[in-house]
Structures are given as C-alpha cells and as structure tokens.
Amino acid sequence: MSDAATPPADRLARLDLQRRQRLGMVEAVWGEHKSPQQIAEVITGLRRAGELALVTRVSTDKEAAVRTCLAAANQDITVEALLHPWTYEPCARLLMVGPPPPIPAGSARVGVLCAGSSDLPVALEAQLCLRAHGMATELIADVGVAGLHRLLAQLERLQEFAVLIVCAGMEGALPTVVAGLVPQPVIGVPVAVGYGVSAGGRTALEGMLASCAPGLCVVNIDNGYGAGMAALRLLNGRPGQKA
Amino acid sequence: MSDAATPPADRLARLDLQRRQRLGMVEAVWGEHKSPQQIAEVITGLRRAGELALVTRVSTDKEAAVRTCLAAANQDITVEALLHPWTYEPCARLLMVGPPPPIPAGSARVGVLCAGSSDLPVALEAQLCLRAHGMATELIADVGVAGLHRLLAQLERLQEFAVLIVCAGMEGALPTVVAGLVPQPVIGVPVAVGYGVSAGGRTALEGMLASCAPGLCVVNIDNGYGAGMAALRLLNGRPGQKA
Amino acid sequence: MSDAATPPADRLARLDLQRRQRLGMVEAVWGEHKSPQQIAEVITGLRRAGELALVTRVSTDKEAAVRTCLAAANQDITVEALLHPWTYEPCARLLMVGPPPPIPAGSARVGVLCAGSSDLPVALEAQLCLRAHGMATELIADVGVAGLHRLLAQLERLQEFAVLIVCAGMEGALPTVVAGLVPQPVIGVPVAVGYGVSAGGRTALEGMLASCAPGLCVVNIDNGYGAGMAALRLLNGRPGQKA
Amino acid sequence: MSDAATPPADRLARLDLQRRQRLGMVEAVWGEHKSPQQIAEVITGLRRAGELALVTRVSTDKEAAVRTCLAAANQDITVEALLHPWTYEPCARLLMVGPPPPIPAGSARVGVLCAGSSDLPVALEAQLCLRAHGMATELIADVGVAGLHRLLAQLERLQEFAVLIVCAGMEGALPTVVAGLVPQPVIGVPVAVGYGVSAGGRTALEGMLASCAPGLCVVNIDNGYGAGMAALRLLNGRPGQKA
Amino acid sequence: MSDAATPPADRLARLDLQRRQRLGMVEAVWGEHKSPQQIAEVITGLRRAGELALVTRVSTDKEAAVRTCLAAANQDITVEALLHPWTYEPCARLLMVGPPPPIPAGSARVGVLCAGSSDLPVALEAQLCLRAHGMATELIADVGVAGLHRLLAQLERLQEFAVLIVCAGMEGALPTVVAGLVPQPVIGVPVAVGYGVSAGGRTALEGMLASCAPGLCVVNIDNGYGAGMAALRLLNGRPGQKA
Amino acid sequence: MSDAATPPADRLARLDLQRRQRLGMVEAVWGEHKSPQQIAEVITGLRRAGELALVTRVSTDKEAAVRTCLAAANQDITVEALLHPWTYEPCARLLMVGPPPPIPAGSARVGVLCAGSSDLPVALEAQLCLRAHGMATELIADVGVAGLHRLLAQLERLQEFAVLIVCAGMEGALPTVVAGLVPQPVIGVPVAVGYGVSAGGRTALEGMLASCAPGLCVVNIDNGYGAGMAALRLLNGRPGQKA
Amino acid sequence: MSDAATPPADRLARLDLQRRQRLGMVEAVWGEHKSPQQIAEVITGLRRAGELALVTRVSTDKEAAVRTCLAAANQDITVEALLHPWTYEPCARLLMVGPPPPIPAGSARVGVLCAGSSDLPVALEAQLCLRAHGMATELIADVGVAGLHRLLAQLERLQEFAVLIVCAGMEGALPTVVAGLVPQPVIGVPVAVGYGVSAGGRTALEGMLASCAPGLCVVNIDNGYGAGMAALRLLNGRPGQKA
Amino acid sequence: MSDAATPPADRLARLDLQRRQRLGMVEAVWGEHKSPQQIAEVITGLRRAGELALVTRVSTDKEAAVRTCLAAANQDITVEALLHPWTYEPCARLLMVGPPPPIPAGSARVGVLCAGSSDLPVALEAQLCLRAHGMATELIADVGVAGLHRLLAQLERLQEFAVLIVCAGMEGALPTVVAGLVPQPVIGVPVAVGYGVSAGGRTALEGMLASCAPGLCVVNIDNGYGAGMAALRLLNGRPGQKA
C-alpha cells in the first residue's frame, strides 16, 4: 500500500529545539506513550543538538529497553560520550541524559513539600526537572495536615524559600494551609493517591482550586514537571538566576 | 374526572408520630417543597398530637404565608395556645412551634464550628435542631484554615465538647484539621458556598470524605439538620441525657 | 547528581507517634502505595516505639514480600520478638503486628452489618481496626434490603449495640433502612461493589448521603478503617471504655 | 428576508395521529417548551381529529394563557364543544381536554406509591396519563423507608395491583424495598426532590438502576408520563383490557 | 486473635430461600466478587434445598475452578446427582446447575434484540435467566439503527412477542426506535460497548432514559439478568404462564 | 483611581474584520453576555466597515433595548441607512442588520431537520446564519424517531440536499438514523431540550458522538450558528457557490 | 439445554452489504470486542461478497491469531487469493484485506494533522480508512500549539487540502487554532492521550466542542475511522471524486 | 428561646487583621453571600483598623444598599472620612474603600489579557485587586485564538511584563498559546462564559490544566482576585516592589 502509507520519517517527533531560546527551558519528552525505540531516537537527537535530554514517565522496564536500543545501535564513541551522565530516578520515573547545568552559589531555592510518602514520586519529578535547569531545591516530606504539628515545626524553614511546590493527594488540604501561613508563591500539585472519592486525584485538585487561601496556583494532577517549570518561570525573572 | 381523581385527603402527609418513640426524635418537616397551606396543616397536626413542630427550609416569605394560613383557619383558643412559642430563625430558615424541652444542667455540649460567616445558616440549623431536642450547643464562627491562628487559639475550648459539628464550604479543609487535633467525634458538614469548582458544595463534600484525618464522619451538603440528629444519636446513649 | 538528589533518609515516612496521645489512636499505615521494603521499615519503627503496627490494603503477595524483607534484615532476637503476634487477614487485606489491647469485660460493642457477602472485606477491616484498639465488635452479614425479613429478624439484636457500622454496595439502601429502625449512631460505609452505574461505589455513597433517615453519618467508599475510627471516637467518650 | 424565511406553516407541529393505532396511545404533548398559542393549536388539532388532548408540564399561568388563546380565536360552537371536559390538575401540571374513555368494571388496577408528599406531582402525572387511557389507578402516599412500618402496613393491599409505579426522591430506596416484597412488575420513578447530592434526582435514579432487588425497571427522572405509558404497555396485553 | 475474629461460618452467604415463594424467582448468585470455593458452597446449598443454582458473571477460568472445588469435596453420589445438568455458557459467563422447568407449550415468548454482535453476552444472559424460569425466548441479533432496513424487515415478527428486551451499546438508539414501532412492553438494556464517550455504557443508558418513545423501561448497564427478571414479573401475571 | 483604571476605549471589542477574507465568513457577535450598548456599538462598527452585522442570542427585550440605544445616539441619515434591513427572528433570538447577499440560482441547498418543535430555535439559527452568507436552506420539522414513518416519508427529499444539519434533543437519535440512510455530510446539533438525564443537552450530545452511524459530525449543544458555519465551509469549496 | 439455546448460526454478524450502495462506504468492522474466529469469518464473508474487509482496533496479537484461524480453515486456493493483499498497520491497529481502489490522479487530498507523536495511531486510522475508499491523504505531524511556529510554517501547505482532519489530545487546542486560520472544513478528533484531567480524552473533546473558532466539527474520542468517513461524505459530493 | 440562641455578636465576621503582616495582603471580603448590613460593618471595621476595604462580587444593587446602610448609621465626621475614596467598578462588581497605596515609579507591571469582551469582568477584578496593593497592570483585550493575528501583533509588548494573567472562557486555549510564546510566569484564569459543554467554565479550566505548554499555572473559574494575589506573591519577592 505504498501509495498511501506515511513514510516512517514523517512520523518522527519534530523536536522543538527553539524552546530554550524562546522559553528558557529544554523540551521535556513525555515518555508514557512512546516506544523505547522512539525514546532512544529522541535522546540521541537532543544530545546531538547539544541539549540535555529529559524524559518523564519512563517505567523501570522501559528504561532498560531504551538502554538496549541505544546499545544495539552500535554507536560510535562520540555518541556514547553524549549519553553520559545517565541519570534515572525510578521513584519519579524520570530519565535525564547529559550533564545538568551547575547550580550557582547562593541561588534562590525551591521548597518541595509533600503531605505523605505516597506523594514522593511527584515531588521528586518536580525536583529533578528543576535540577535539570540548574535550580536548587529542598524536600520536606510527610507534613500532612492530619498531624499539623509536623508542618508548624517547619514554619521558619519555609520562610526561606523563593517558591513553594506543595504536593498532596487525598483531600489536598496542605497547599491551602501553607498558603495561609507564608507570603511566597505557592504552587499546589494534586496527587492521584487515594481511593473512593479521592481516587485519581480529582478531589485534591478541586480542593486546591477552591482554596480559601488567597493566591494559590494549581497545576494538573501528578504534574510534577509542570510545577517545576512554573517555578522556573518565576525564578528566571529574578536577578542572580537569569542574568 | 371524579372517577379517577385522588381524593385530597389521600394526599395529606402521613405523620410518622412513632418516630420519637422509635428514634428519640421528633419528625422534622422539610418545608422546601411544601405549600404554606400544607405546612400549616402539618404544624397543627403535630401540635395536636403533643409534638413540637420543627420545619426546615422555610423562607421568610413562606413563614409569613404560613402565619396567614393559620390565622385564616379561624381557630379556637385551644389551637392558638398550641402555636406558642413561635420561633422563626430567618438566617437558618427554620421554624419551631411549641416549647422545646429544657436543657438539663451540666449537659454535654455540642460545639458547632464554621469556617466563614457564609456557613452560618447551616450551623444555626444544626444548633436549633439540637435545641429542639433539649441539647446544649455553642457556636465558634470564622475559624477557617486560611488564618490558622484563629482555630489554634480555640484548641483548649474545643476539648470540652462531647461532639463537634464542623461546617465549611470552599475546599472544606476545616473538619480535617479539627479531626487531626482533637479526639472527639467530628461530624463534617459541607456547605454550598463557593463558585467555580466549589459551587454547590461538591468539592467541600468530597474533600471531607477523602480526609486524611482518621474517623471523620460526613453528612449531605448543607444538611445542618442531619448533623444535629447524628450528634443527638451520639448523645442519647450518654448518661445524663437519656436516662 | 549528588548535589541535587534527596538523601534517601529524607524520604522516610515521618511517623506521627503523638497520635495515640492526641487522638487515642495508633497511626494506621496505608499500605497500597508503599513498597514491601517501606512497609517493613514502618513496622519495625512502630514496634520499636512500643506501638502496635496496623497496615491496611496489603495484598496477599505483598504480605509475603514484607515477611521476606523482615527476614532478610537479619534482625536480632529482640526485634523478632516485636513482630509477634503477626496477624494477617487476607479478605480484609489487613496486617496487624503486635498484641492488641485486651477487651475489657462488659464493654460496649459495635455491630457491623453488611448487605451481601461482597461487602465482607470492608466490614472485616472495620472490625479489625476496632479490635486493634481494644474494642469489641460483632458481624451481622447478608441482611440486604432485597430480602427484608432477614434484617427484621435481627431487630432486637441491633438494639443492643452502642454503635452500628453498616456496609453496603449497589444502591446502598441498607444504612437508610437501619437508621429508620433504631436510635443508635449509624455509620454508613459505601462499598465499591457493583457494575454499570454502581461500579466504584459512587451510587451507594450518594444514596447514603441523600438518605431520608435522620442522622445517618457516612465515610468514604470502602473506608472500613475510617468507620472503625469514627466508632472509636464515639466509644472513647463513654464511661467504661476510656476511664 | 422572505426568500429564506421558513413559512410559519412549516413550523407547525406534525401530529403523530397514527400513534393510537400503532402503539395504543394518544400522542401526549410536552408543554414545557411550547408557547400558549402553540398549545392551543395542538389541542384544537387533536380534538378535531377526534383525539383526546393530553398536555404535560403546563404551569398554572400557562394554562390560563391557553384558555385565553382559545377564547380569542372566536371559535364557533362546534369547536367549543370539543373543548369539554377541560381538566387541569395544577399539582401535576397536566391538562386533559376531552372525555377520557370509561374504565371497564373489574379492570386491573395500577398502584402508584410515593415516598413523601413532595413526590405527589409525579405520581399524579402517572395516574392521570393512565386515566386518559381508561385505566384505573390508586395512590398510596407517604410510605418512605425511613418509617418502614407505614409500608409494611400496606403489604396486603400491594399484592392486589397488576403493576406498581413507585416514585421516590432523595436516595430513592423505596422501589428497591417494594420490589423485594412483591412479585408484580415494579416501575421506579426517580423524583427531582432533594438537595446537595440528591438535587436533580440523579441519586434516586442511580439508586434504582443499581438496585439489589431483581427485575426493577426504571424511567427518567420525574417521568410520571413515561411510567404511566410503560404500565399501559403491560396492561394492554392482558385479557379484559384490550380485547 | 481468636477473641475478635469473625467465625468463618458467620461469613457464609445467607441464602434467601423464600425468594421463589415471595417473588416467583430463584435467588441468582452474583459470581463476580465470589471465590470459586464460595460459589461451590452456594451451589451445593441451593441444590440441596431443591433449588436451581443460577450464577452470573462467572469467567471461563472461574467455572473450571468451581468444578475443581466441587470434585475435591469428595462428595457422595447423592450430591453428584444434584450437579446435573451442568450448563455453562461462556459468552454470557453464566452457570446454571440443575434442570430448568419445562417450557409450557404455547407459552408467551420474549423477544431479545441486540444492535450488534458485541451485545450478545448481555442478550444471552437475559435469555438464559428466563430459560431458568421456564420461559421461552428468541434472539434477533444485529439489527442496529445504522442499517435500519435490517430492523424494519423484522417488524412483523416483533409483533408476536409478549415482551421485548432490547440490548444496545454505543448511542443506544435501538430501544427508542423499537418502542416507537410496536405497542408491547419494551425493556432497554444499555451495554458497556464503545469507546470515548460511550465507554462504560453511560451514553447508551442515558439515551434510553431520555428516549422520546413513550413507555420505554430501562435497567442497569449490562444487566441482562435484571431485564430477564423484569420480563418474568410481566409474564407471571399472564394467564397460561403462572396458573 | 484614574492611575489604574482601564480607559473605556481599551475595553471595546476588537473586531476581526479580516475574518471574511481569511475564512469566508462575517464575524458573528455572541450577544448573550453583551449589554445593549455594546451590541449597538458593534453593529455600527460592522456596518460602517461594510459588513453585515449578525448577532446571536439576543432576547426580545434586548433587541428592543438595542434599537433604543441606536435611536438615542442621534445618528445622521447615513448611519440610519446602514441599519436597513433590520431582521430580527425572535424564536432563534437572532439579529441580522444589513442586506444578506443574494442566493445564486441553482445553488446547492442545506437541509435542516429537527426532531420536534422544541428544536426549532436552533434550526432557525442555523438557517439564518447560512442565509446571511447567501446560502439556501430548507426546514424539515418534526421528524423524530418515535414516529419513524414521518422521516421515511421524506427519504427521497433528503437525497437532494448537499449537506444535512440535524437538530435533536432528548436522546438525540435522529442524526444517527439519518446518517445511516443517506450518503451526504451530516452535522448533528444536540439541543438542550429535555428533563432529568436529558436536561442541558448532554445526553443528546454524547449520543451523537457515540453514534453507530459512520461519519456523523457534531457541534456543541444548541450551536445552530456553528452547524451553519460548518456547512458553509463545506459548500464554499463547491463549484457554483464560491467561484 | 438445547430447547432454549440460541443456535450458533443466529449469533453470526449480519453483514450490512448494502452499505456501499446506500452510503458509498464499505462496512468497517469494529474488532475490539470480537474474537479472532469471529473476525476471520467476517473477513471471509466480506471478501466473498467482493468487498474490501476493513477491521479497526485489532491488536498485534489478535492479528496473528486471525491469520492462524484463516490458515487452519484449510481454505482452497480461491479463498487464499481473496486474502491478498493483507495490510496490517500495527500503530493504527488497523487491518485491511483486499485491494483498495486506485486513487484517481489529481484527486482532492485530505490533510491529517496531529499535535504530538502520541496522536499518530488515530491519525493513521483516519488515513488508512480514507485510503480504503480511494482517497488521497497527507500527514502533518507534531504541530502542537505549544510551539506555534511549527504550525505557522505549514500555513501555505494547509490551504491546499480539501478537508482537514486535526487530531489532538491534552487540551485539544490545535483544531481551534487551525479553524481560525483556514477556510476549509475542519474535523477535530480528540485523542485519549494525557493524564489527570486530560486522561481519557474528555478535556480535548470538550475543548473542541467549545471552540471559539466558527464551524469546527467534532467526532468521538480516538475516532479516526469516523473522521475519515466524515471526510469521505464531504469528498463524495465533489466532482472528480465520485463521478 | 434565649437560652439557646447564638448572641448576634458571635455571628460577626472575625477579621483576619494579621493577614497583611503574615502574607503581605489585605483581607478581601467575599461579598456574594453577605447582606448589605454585614458588608457595611466589615467595611467600617477594616477602615477603623487602618486597612483598605476590598469587597468582591458586589452587585450594583447591593452597592447602593451598602451606601444606604452606612448613611443610616448616622456616623460622625471621622468615620465619614474613612469612607473616601469610594471606588466601585460595576463591570467587575468590585468595591474598594480607602486610598490604595501609590504605585512606585518604574514598578514591574502585570499584563492582563482576555480572549473576548465577555472575559472583561474577571480581568478587571484581577487588575483592581492588584491596584489595591500598589501594583501596576495593563489590559490587553480581545486577543482570542480564533483570530491569532491579534495576539501575534502584541508579542513584543507581552515580553515586557513581569507576569501575565490570561483570562479565557469557551475552550480556554489562550493561556496555552501565550505560555508557548513567552518565558514569563503565566497564570490562566478560566471564565464561566459559554454554553453547552462550556457553560460554567469547566471546559476552559480543564483545558488550561491539561495544557501542553510547560509551566502554566491555573486558578479557580472566574477567580480574578486569586490570580491577582498569585501575581502579588510573585512580585513581592522582587527587588523594587517590596524593599
């Protein structure tokens, strides 16, 4: 059926290599719906163009398959060098290939909070995506509102961050409480952790959107990457980061 | 069409006069879908049977119309006496006819909290329905989580109640925070206050059901009456109230 | 990427060991999103702190894996002793490690009803979580409203419980019928059993919230643990249980 | 714009006058979205064709306006005769013009139950639509499941009906309980009465569809007319009615 | 934990053996959430009580496991005899154990239609559940409205059935079209076949409930059993079937 | 607060006067959320630019208010001339100011069907929006599927249209049936007519999207304008219309 | 149970072989819910009737199983010939058996756009279904609106197509932007690619239906086949294609 | 009923006067559910405490009633002085009493975009709430994506803002397109403008959350105030604004 078939080349991902220049970001690749072969090709393409390769939602199995694909391509030494360092964080299902930029001394830091340990994958995704852009982050885990003393004990520390990313599943009340306590930008990330009415993260999402705390911003459920990029937009405008 | 028509008498509300004996409660009448004439008849019926008449969701206009109906019925002195005291609380849209039982000295008290002043109608409905059964309540208003210090300042006082009814709209986080702080039974009442995703009270409801605080119970949106009756079921089993 | 990585220790669950003192409850661990390794660590931590370890939503496979993790840790005799008794109930997917407190003679009892045998896992979770706090319970199974005689035959027995936990899937009518028959506190637990419109338990949940029976309280779908803790809050305030 | 405009005649309702012959029913007119003028025209059309005119969802104001339209048409005596008897039931918002067929002696009867007095409008719509086809019905009001004794007291009477139409709002449990008690066909009609999760009748509808009672059939929310016609389909096949 | 554990005997299904006498139906067992062991026990219990055993939603694998359980129980010859005939229909996932009653000559028949071949499992479930009660049925497959001529060609045949059960997925328009063509009772069964907006059967369900055809009744999605029992209720009242 | 206020001029609608050149359409104005004053200004602006002014969703009252605004502006004769002809169709709530282009002889015609007379406003909106672009249309009303003979009687006529716009509320089955009968492009327009599950038009919309008929296209609920513009896109590419 | 069982022959798919003559389309077979055996039978049936066999939603495994079924049937040479060419496109999960009609020189072409490479399966389904009817298509991939320059660079090329099929997941904004840029018919196809609020394709679907661009048509989520057939209906009316 | 009634004083709003010190914001009052009398009291309270009074969602009628209340209170000259300047913006339904802080020369500015003129009320609310905190804003109206040239023409201007607030109803695509073009923080505000699937603003909200553009933040539907406060949190951390 050659007269109708789309040539394979036309199906290749069209890399948005102008993104760094336009938005100050690398083009992250959403790995969930891509085959290992497709991911291997995108990594090679990005690395050849001198870009860091950042791939989200890569399961442990798929990461192994991507390595196999790349090895099988029998690549020369030059390409092999481009694949280092190879950083894979299984909990966040995130793959980063190539060296991230150094973090400037004295940089503003992003605080990443999570309500329970089930929120860790999303928090780590946010942290690593910021790290890939040379930003410093710090994790404050297990400060859910059912045991409020744990959060209140961190109050002074929270004041020191330039931005706060707050991840929570279930009823998602943590970002509301945080945004009522501190004046910084707070980005709420609903997490798809829960069962019954909270399964899938909808309840956490809507709880954050409906928040009675003023000026809380929200991203999509489980969108650690998006929260990281929102924080990056904020920090990029600050002296010391961008200049 | 007399051969098919339902005789008006058959359409009359069938009063559940055994309810007090079976459940320890008066039969409250849901006034929203009833005409003033129907409400007037139900009040007369209940009062004649020696029961307190408790009618929820009666607007200011409808309350006036009910009075007119009752006056127009040209009732004798005996009936008129049954209509006192006539207590109407416009904010809660609640009508109580007849004398509520006295509150025994030293009774357990129910704490009724609300996050903002828009939650007052629901909180008052709960208070008055408990009052109609001889129970003592206390209101703690405007302790929403966006200004947490207001709630924490009341912590010691909260410990003294036998049960807590906690009303909140928007994201509905208040009952979660309360249930994480104190050991008593906590009944969450979502309130249909908000806009966008929180319009109608769904977000508050689901936030309470999804709560990370252990053992929080929930009733329907705006159901101050139901929260009151749930508290009554709890208190009825306690020495000093029921014995 | 050592400069950015979160040290593994920071990712550990922060145990809320003050919960018993604050709320009169042990901190139950939600096992669904945790790895066997994480669960093994939490169990050890709780037992070392002298707490009972209660883990919900542990599948049969995961329970075996937790045992393997604990064995592999080559623990000394002192730790091994802490892991007894080891109680795992596969139908409820619940794991309890350590000895639950004794049930005081003559304690108030919680009646746990379920509409059909598919509701058993949730009912058992409620029973075991109460058992872990020294509370007595009794199961009354298969009393669904499609064969009403089965429930009515138990009416006298129902009157004897201090609290009733009523589990139902499908249309979830059982708690409504029960709350219309008896004066005690009734906690409805919707169960995710059904298909079509009742798949996932939403219909049962909303049916319970919309109940025409006064004072019915509700918890999240499949939340046997929450229903148990709500019952515990009620019983803790009663003389003879807490004193 | 005469070249494009649709001639008014083309906009007239195309009456389905074959319906009685095809389905054994008159064509009922849904009055909600029609103007008084349109309704007046349809009534005249149906009456001239020798059909009974049955118009649902006609508010009290609209009924008055329809009368005015018909009077204004300065109709001759022949037409005026066709408009008798004029039967309007405000609670059901139903208008019937012309004489319904007589009810044969000893006909099977349809029992119409409703849970509370707020369900009356829907129950009456069902009754009157059956009456318009010469069918006998009987109303049993206020037998909601929160006071089960009221329903159980009617059990023997229920056995005598050929079909049961059961209307309920809130959690809609009544049809489930009825279908578990008697062997006849049961048609559940959810009613849009309630607030919070039950507002709009969705919860009652889904509760009936999810019913654990075998063989319960359901129609759309508030669809008293549809329930009546479903009962008519059943009865039409019975000897004594149709023959 | 013997003091708290529910004795296994208490967890057994409580059979509703009065159902045939009360409702004229056997108690069908919903097999989806039951273990093979539980199903084997229920079958034995029902057969010993002289009842036909009807189990819905039994996958091919589970049916084999049930057989194994029964064989392993080393049952004597008397029990073995009770397990014949053993009828399993894999497409409908339905298991019937024991002899169904004979179909009386000249019985009224139920027509079972389906829009496409993906609706067959549901149609067969309806047919077999009726067969288990001695009722005659006939299948008319693949008469979806996208090729209307296929349905119109069957019009005369449709007129001969006492009741019509009409199964359809996707937009679910078939029952509407059928109910507009014939006067008999029509029971619509939405089928969970489709993708996008029609995945899960919601669209078919709501399309049937919203039908413009008068008197169409509906059951839950995929509820072939319920449709069969609704038809049975109808037929039971007819002379020749029940007498 | 002059330093912050947005100058009124900045709030004026920015007309997309390039739309005709880019898309071959006039810019229709959505009148629902605009004040009479705003609409009057937009009409004047469009007419001065030589464009036809097409305003959708203008109630009868608002149309009168727009006239008053324009009269009050004390406009000279030149402007007054631009306001002719003034065409207002109350049923469609559509206002067209200025002369529409003539319809070329022998043009392709668009057939506009509606299931019931309640769908007329949407059908007329589609017709008039096409008329405003010089396209010929024809209305075929009241051909709903509950009385299929009415549609089948029009089958030959349907074959003659270049495109079919099919409007339906309730279950929305009509476009499915039509698209199964004829080969032309069919655009389904769900109409917000109905109650219970069909209120708001969702059921009709999803029924059309889920259609088993191949190649049915859909627009938003009540979007007669959009259906008209979709038809226009189709016709514009045909010889005889555009050339 | 031979007296009740449906004979297997009655369960066979009833092919709609008049579809080509009525609608100008082959009957495509929805493979998702069919067994390999059923698919093999349908293919043979269609090929014997001289039709192209087009089967959608066939997974790689199922395609292999279909081949096995056909081989096992030990078919003679005549049948074997009918099975060529055998075209299977795994990404689109589409199977076409038999020779598609040639594409006439100078035919109008359909442009198929997709926002990201995850939308490719749906785009390819649309392309191949058009190819099966002798229509020419062209794929323009990876032109999502987050990097608008990629789309704007194709603007001139877009103008050349007779119809545009635009596939997008996530927020689904691409068809809106395209329909605002070019005057041709635009068919939006929402794709079930995304997570959180966009999982399942609902958000993309509703975004397209709500589009502010005039005249955008929409089909069901992932319905590449339907988009292709809608385009076919458009093209069939054009000179040069159909004549 | 004096023993139970809540003293009116307890129902008064508890002002969160620490908010400015804690969060750098005044406490805005949500006027929708408050009576004119309540609003008058809150304004007086805030002004006496030296705070600016900012009340959102005040209709034109309510604003007049608030003035009347304040006049009726027969306040002395000191209070009257506190009520100046009185700024009411009817389109935004926003009331500001007292002098806002001056805008420092050379301040960072917030760009407020809206897709259509129906989004103006929300955009103005954001602008005025920022103005109340001494922040400079600029409005760019009517740059919806259906006429993309209008937005692209403003691209250079967009680059100059510190933050962008982007309001859109319908499909809500504008913030996605903007966030793909510029590197600054972008806050999307969904607007409840539309009909059918877009009524209520849900589609716009979910489209923004699902955005394919990286780092787009979202607030609740119609929440201009929240978007303003989110921007304020961002700007407060910048040199030149806060120092």
Side-chain angles (χ1 to χ4, degrees), chain D residues 152-165:
Chain D
L152 296 177
Q154 307 285 335
L155 194 48
E156 210 166 326
R157 189 175 164 204
L158 294 187
Q159 313 274 8
E160 292 163 16
F161 295 107
V163 192
L164 293 165
I165 290 174

Side-chain angles (χ1 to χ4, degrees), chain F residues 6 35 59 109 132 137 139 148 171 181 188 204 213:
Chain F
T6 300
S35 66
S59 65
R109 274 165 314 125
T137 66
L139 180 72
L148 205 56
E171 85 297 322
L181 290 170

Side-chain angles (χ1 to χ4, degrees), chain F residues 1 3-4 6 13-14 22, chain H residues 96 127-128 131 141-142 146 195:
Chain F
M1 213 182 66
D3 54 349
T6 300
R14 213 173 282 223
R22 214 170 64 244
Chain H
M96 178 164 63
Q127 283 191 285
L128 289 166
R131 181 63 197 85
D142 246 334
Y195 59 92

Side-chain angles (χ1 to χ4, degrees), chain C residues 143-165:
Chain C
V143 287
V145 298
L148 205 57
H149 55 95
R150 296 175 300 186
L151 177 68
L152 296 177
Q154 306 286 336
L155 194 48
E156 209 166 326
R157 189 175 165 204
L158 294 186
Q159 313 274 8
E160 292 164 17
F161 297 106
V163 192
L164 293 165
I165 291 175

Side-chain angles (χ1 to χ4, degrees), chain F residues 1 3-4 6 10-14 16 18-19 22 27 30 33-34 38 57 202 205 220-223, chain H residues 87 89 96 117-118 120 124 127-128 131 139 141-142 146-147 149-150 154 192-198:
Chain F
M1 213 182 66
D3 54 349
T6 300
D10 280 17
R11 299 190 193 172
L12 279 179
R14 213 173 282 223
D16 182 8
Q18 312 176 350
R19 186 172 288 187
R22 214 170 64 244
E27 185 183 11
W30 192 47
H33 283 222
K34 293 203 175 52
Q38 285 178 306
R57 309 227 164 191
R202 273 268 165 191
L205 170 65
N220 195 4
I221 297 162
D222 286 343
N223 193 1
Chain H
T87 312
E89 166 55 68
M96 178 164 63
S117 55
S118 305
L120 269 176
L124 291 175
Q127 283 191 285
L128 289 166
R131 181 63 197 85
L139 180 73
D142 246 334
H149 55 96
R150 295 175 299 185
Q154 306 284 337
V193 156
Y195 59 92
V197 298
S198 58

Side-chain angles (χ1 to χ4, degrees), chain E residues 10 37 43 49 60 66 88 93 106 118 132 141 158 163 186 191 201 223 228 231:
Chain E
D10 280 18
Q37 185 60 41
I43 289 172
T60 312
V66 172
Y88 178 66
R93 292 184 298 154
S118 306
L158 293 186
V163 191
V186 180
V191 179
N223 194 2

Side-chain angles (χ1 to χ4, degrees), chain B residues 1-7 10-19 22-23 27 30 32-34 38 57 125 192 200 202 205-206 220-226, chain D residues 87 89 91 96 100-103 117-118 120 124 127-128 131 135 137-143 146-150 154 157 170 192-198 203:
Chain B
M1 213 178 67
S2 60
D3 54 348
T6 299
D10 280 17
R11 300 189 192 172
L12 279 179
R14 211 173 285 222
L15 298 176
D16 181 9
L17 292 170
Q18 311 176 350
R19 187 173 288 188
R22 214 169 65 241
L23 305 183
E27 184 183 11
W30 193 48
E32 191 142 24
H33 283 221
K34 293 205 173 50
Q38 284 178 307
R57 309 226 165 191
E125 186 182 278
R202 273 269 165 188
L205 169 65
E206 301 195 346
N220 195 4
I221 297 162
D222 286 343
N223 193 1
Y225 164 71
Chain D
T87 312
E89 166 55 69
C91 174
M96 179 164 64
I103 301 178
S117 54
S118 306
L120 269 177
L124 292 175
Q127 284 192 283
L128 290 166
R131 181 64 197 84
M135 296 294 166
T137 66
E138 221 166 290
L139 180 73
I140 303 181
D142 246 335
V143 288
L148 204 57
H149 55 95
R150 296 175 299 187
Q154 307 285 335
R157 189 175 164 204
M170 303 289 205
V193 156
Y195 58 92
V197 298
S198 57
T203 294

